[in-house]
Amino acid sequence: IIERELVMMKYKRKVGKKYLQRKSKESAVCLLIIGLLMGTVFVFGTSYWNKSIEEHEAIQVEASFTSYNEIHGRRRLKEVSVRFSDHEQLYIDGSCADKKVLEELEKLPENTKVRLVVHPNSNTIMSMKVKNNEILNFENVQHHLYLEKVGFFYMGLFMYIGAACGLLRLLQLQKKKK
């Protein structure tokens, strides 16, 4: 009986190692693919969408405000979608939409003409003015988008490091096979 149990333990250990290697290979491939995709989006996508621009490079728009909607993520305000009767929907980045901005939008009557400066690479509002009242300041938005871009750049680098770890794990498993 003891010999039989020893044989069964060896078999389980052998089968367990193969199972773990297969799972390890699958997780390494997932880490590699996800790391490359997310890293690319974080490093290059955010750099494009939040690119620093001069005010004269932006798109100047005058539109009639109708409403806005706050879009929340898990822990914070993600963005504010702003709707217009004579223009497509545009967005205020969550990092730029502080309490003052939200209060100003709340007070804004429907069909009010607003002057907007829009980022050319995204639908992000960089500046918003109603007559002489400035709701969003171009320089402040530019600064917040720059900080967000830097944060996403570092997250992208972290994702690339994860992809490199996945690749190294795959190479280790390949060596063990031989």
Side-chain angles (χ1 to χ4, degrees):
I1 296 176
I2 293 175
E3 277 183 43
R4 190 173 175 196
E5 286 180 19
L6 287 173
V7 170
M8 287 300 288
M9 284 175 61
K10 280 185 180 179
Y11 175 75
K12 285 180 182 178
R13 202 175 302 139
K14 198 174 187 180
V15 171
K17 281 184 181 179
K18 284 184 181 179
Y19 175 77
L20 289 175
Q21 280 184 336
R22 188 179 56 155
K23 281 295 188 189
S24 184
K25 184 178 180 181
E26 289 171 1
S27 63
V29 168
C30 284
L31 186 60
L32 176 65
I33 292 170
I34 290 170
L36 285 174
L37 287 174
M38 296 300 287
T40 302
V41 169
F42 287 165
V43 169
F44 299 106
T46 307
S47 293
Y48 175 76
W49 297 312
N50 292 349
K51 177 184 170 190
S52 296
I53 59 168
E54 297 295 322
E55 196 164 355
H56 70 272
E57 297 173 311
I59 301 166
Q60 308 290 325
V61 175
E62 187 168 307
S64 298
F65 172 84
T66 55
S67 66
Y68 76 97
N69 183 33
E70 297 176 26
I71 301 167
H72 291 271
R74 288 187 181 178
R75 296 183 197 126
R76 64 177 187 89
L77 179 63
K78 188 176 173 184
E79 63 188 4
V80 177
S81 65
V82 185
R83 293 184 190 88
F84 306 94
S85 60
D86 52 356
H87 195 273
E88 66 182 323
Q89 180 172 297
L90 298 172
Y91 299 90
I92 299 172
D93 191 271
S95 63
C96 308
D98 58 13
K99 191 175 182 180
K100 178 188 170 275
V101 170
L102 295 174
E103 287 172 357
E104 291 292 327
L105 288 173
E106 184 68 35
K107 291 190 290 187
L108 209 57
E110 197 171 322
N111 292 322
T112 302
K113 287 284 185 188
V114 291
R115 288 187 315 277
L116 307 163
V117 175
V118 181
H119 198 289
N121 298 346
S122 62
N123 285 339
T124 304
I125 299 172
M126 303 291 288
S127 172
M128 186 177 205
K129 296 177 183 174
V130 178
K131 296 178 184 168
N132 293 332
N133 184 19
E134 185 174 58
I135 297 172
L136 269 179
N137 178 279
F138 184 84
E139 286 78 24
N140 288 344
V141 172
Q142 186 88 306
H143 177 70
H144 285 286
L145 292 180
Y146 171 77
L147 293 176
E148 191 172 72
K149 180 174 71 171
V150 169
F152 274 103
F153 178 80
Y154 285 115
M155 283 175 46
L157 289 181
F158 180 74
M159 291 295 183
Y160 281 142
I161 290 169
C165 290
L167 180 63
L168 289 174
R169 183 66 182 142
L170 284 174
L171 293 174
Q172 281 178 339
L173 290 172
Q174 195 69 25
K175 270 186 184 178
K176 282 185 183 179
K177 232 181 193 182
K178 291 179 183 179

